[in-house]
Amino acid sequence: MTTTSTTAAPTEAVATASTAATAGDAPALIRFRPTGLDAAPEVNTLLERLGLGPFAPEGLTAFGGRNDNWAGTTTRGQQVFVKTVARAPDGSRPEIDRALAFEASAARLPAGSPLRTPEHLGTDRDSAVSAFRLLRGSRSGSEVALDGDFDEALCREAGRAVATLHTLGTAGGASDGESGGEAPDPASAPAIDTAEAPLPPMRWLRAFPWSEVQDRSMAQIAAWKLVQDDTEVVAALHRLRERERTAPHTPAHCDLRFDQFLVHDGQLYLCDWEEFRLADPARDVGAFVGEWLFQATYSVFAPTGEPTSAKDAVALGFDLSHEEIVERGAAGLRRHIPRISAFWQGYTECRVPDPELAERAVGFAGWHLYDRLIATAQAHAVLNPVARAAAGIGRTLLLNPAGAVATLGLADPAVPHSAVPHAAVPHPADALAGSPR
């Protein structure tokens, strides 16, 4: 299990390259040196309470992400992944409670369910630490996508998994009791969260909080300015929120990205449930669509590894002409739309969506493009042309979601994707020809 993210890695983590780079091995992946366990004694305390034994120091590693985490073998030979999450300022643990609510709901899944998630071994709610079975040798969905291996078959499986998630029953009543280091009992697990999902942060559409400015790069502030200065986009986001409030709500992941998927032994897993709640299922569908659109308009231009210098990262895309951006962006869209269509096929095989879900999902895909470009701008001083192109596509989708449903492969599943006129494919790519305001 991994928790890779575009946010910064844990404070004490230092990047190291995997040594498995011999012929025939899986591609070398970036791992991190974890925070010392002497600074986090609650980790081994939980593992010993679960009867797994403490971590053996040899080979202990970590994955990228905003949360401290540890992956390795315990003294009793158990492969384990442990992570901790931050507490809220008032001392509550909403992320842990949401994750426990998911585990209680997922306990009802039958054997062979399309929704697979790494086995939850136990949680210490007091210290906000959770342990899971480590899927040794697994690859995150972001790594799989960058390597070109997140194919249509995997996308269809992802659609089936997300649809199954959206049909889950909810957990039992709220409880203030501790999990005691054991898997949550559905009868005593925290109630599923019904609070509105935090993104997009609507008050930030009017003004960026001064307290947040010092933690943002100049490129991130520029990205927010693209949103705030565009009255049509702001109005579209308000409309999307209103439609969300009246839409049927289901259990939903609400933080869906490629790096929340894992591929292990040829099977797809979905993980990281800290934002799990009752929400508009279009959020998850739109996020998956948005991930492919972001790949099409940004990642195809970016290096597959870390930039060799800050100058290389900032200069990305500045040597491309407007025509080249349009041509490459349109080609990327045409390449990825069949994957989106396969996801939708899998989704509709397992769940009948409400009539407006696809249109709302396109709107959320538009927001997702803004959200991802804001996140990836963290290390940059300026927005490059490719990032602005991604914002342009996001704008098009937000302003006219109905017009992109068929183009993006989210049409009525009874209509094969090949029946959609090929001339429609450049529709989102037309946004590349302009610039967000």
Side-chain angles (χ1 to χ4, degrees):
M1 177 175 180
T2 63
T3 55
T4 53
S5 171
T6 55
T7 54
T11 305
E12 296 183 30
V14 177
T16 58
S18 169
T19 58
T22 58
D25 285 340
L29 307 177
I30 299 298
R31 296 296 181 252
F32 296 83
R33 187 170 65 215
T35 298
L37 287 173
D38 55 345
E42 63 273 14
V43 171
N44 279 334
T45 297
L46 173 61
L47 294 179
E48 294 189 76
R49 185 186 306 170
L50 293 171
L52 302 171
F55 270 126
E58 299 82 12
L60 191 62
T61 187
F63 301 97
R66 66 181 182 274
N67 299 316
D68 275 330
N69 64 84
W70 301 260
T73 307
T74 70
T75 56
R76 296 188 180 180
Q78 299 295 311
Q79 301 286 316
V80 179
F81 173 84
V82 177
K83 70 175 178 179
T84 184
V85 299
R87 301 178 189 176
D90 63 1
S92 63
R93 308 160 186 84
E95 292 187 347
I96 282 289
D97 287 344
R98 287 193 287 265
L100 290 175
F102 166 76
E103 296 296 344
S105 296
R108 302 184 176 94
L109 288 170
S113 168
L115 177 59
R116 303 180 189 88
T117 190
E119 180 187 358
H120 174 243
L121 301 174
T123 290
D124 185 327
R125 186 173 175 274
D126 268 342
S127 57
V129 175
S130 294
F132 302 86
R133 187 74 62 193
L134 176 66
L135 302 179
R136 178 69 72 179
S138 63
R139 300 167 65 202
S140 80
S142 58
E143 293 164 346
V144 176
L146 284 173
D147 289 340
D149 297 331
F150 211 134
D151 58 17
E152 291 176 36
L154 271 182
C155 287
R156 180 172 171 268
E157 288 304 304
R160 290 171 57 82
V162 172
T164 302
L165 165 64
H166 293 167
T167 62
L168 276 181
T170 61
S175 171
D176 293 326
E178 304 299 324
S179 67
E182 298 178 354
D185 178 353
S188 61
I192 189 169
D193 195 347
T194 59
E196 189 173 70
L199 297 177
M202 303 308 288
R203 64 188 183 92
W204 287 20
L205 301 182
R206 184 175 62 253
F208 200 77
W210 177 251
S211 59
E212 300 287 341
V213 171
Q214 58 187 332
D215 295 326
R216 301 293 185 272
S217 71
M218 292 301 295
Q220 284 182 308
I221 293 173
W224 269 110
K225 186 174 175 61
L226 287 178
V227 179
Q228 293 168 338
D229 289 351
D230 193 328
T231 57
E232 290 182 302
V233 164
V234 170
L237 288 170
H238 279 285
R239 287 195 300 271
L240 183 62
R241 277 292 206 182
E242 287 302 316
R243 295 186 71 177
E244 175 186 23
R245 293 186 182 105
T246 59
H249 282 199
T250 70
H253 190 284
C254 291
D255 191 27
L256 200 69
R257 301 187 308 273
F258 285 156
D259 57 11
Q260 311 293 32
F261 289 97
L262 298 173
V263 178
H264 176 70
D265 287 345
Q267 292 190 316
L268 193 68
Y269 292 76
L270 183 56
C271 60
D272 293 348
W273 299 97
E274 288 81 16
E275 293 299 325
F276 175 74
R277 67 187 71 220
L278 283 181
D280 185 351
R283 278 186 170 271
D284 291 343
V285 175
F288 192 86
V289 173
E291 285 286 84
W292 281 117
L293 297 180
F294 191 70
Q295 285 275 325
T297 58
Y298 191 93
S299 297
V300 293
F301 297 93
T304 55
E306 291 296 320
T308 56
S309 69
K311 179 181 179 182
D312 291 337
V314 172
L316 175 64
F318 284 107
D319 59 343
L320 298 174
S321 69
H322 173 77
E323 290 74 17
E324 287 175 316
I325 292 176
V326 172
E327 180 181 353
R328 295 188 188 187
L333 287 168
R334 286 192 292 270
R335 185 167 59 253
H336 293 324
I337 284 173
R339 295 181 170 98
I340 295 171
S341 184
F343 171 87
W344 186 241
Q345 177 189 354
Y347 187 91
T348 54
E349 287 172 357
C350 293
R351 178 175 186 266
V352 178
D354 68 82
E356 297 182 352
L357 187 147
E359 188 174 324
R360 298 194 310 276
V362 172
F364 280 114
W367 160 250
H368 191 83
L369 284 164
Y370 280 104
D371 181 57
R372 301 317 300 150
L373 78 89
I374 290 169
T376 55
Q378 183 176 16
H380 297 170
V382 295
L383 283 180
N384 61 56
V386 177
R388 291 180 179 275
I393 291 181
R395 183 178 196 274
T396 295
L397 301 182
L398 280 168
L399 297 190
N400 184 22
V405 168
T407 298
L408 294 178
L410 303 181
D412 186 331
V415 180
H417 178 70
S418 58
V420 178
H422 186 73
V425 171
H427 172 68
D430 287 344
L432 293 170
S435 297
R437 296 181 183 181

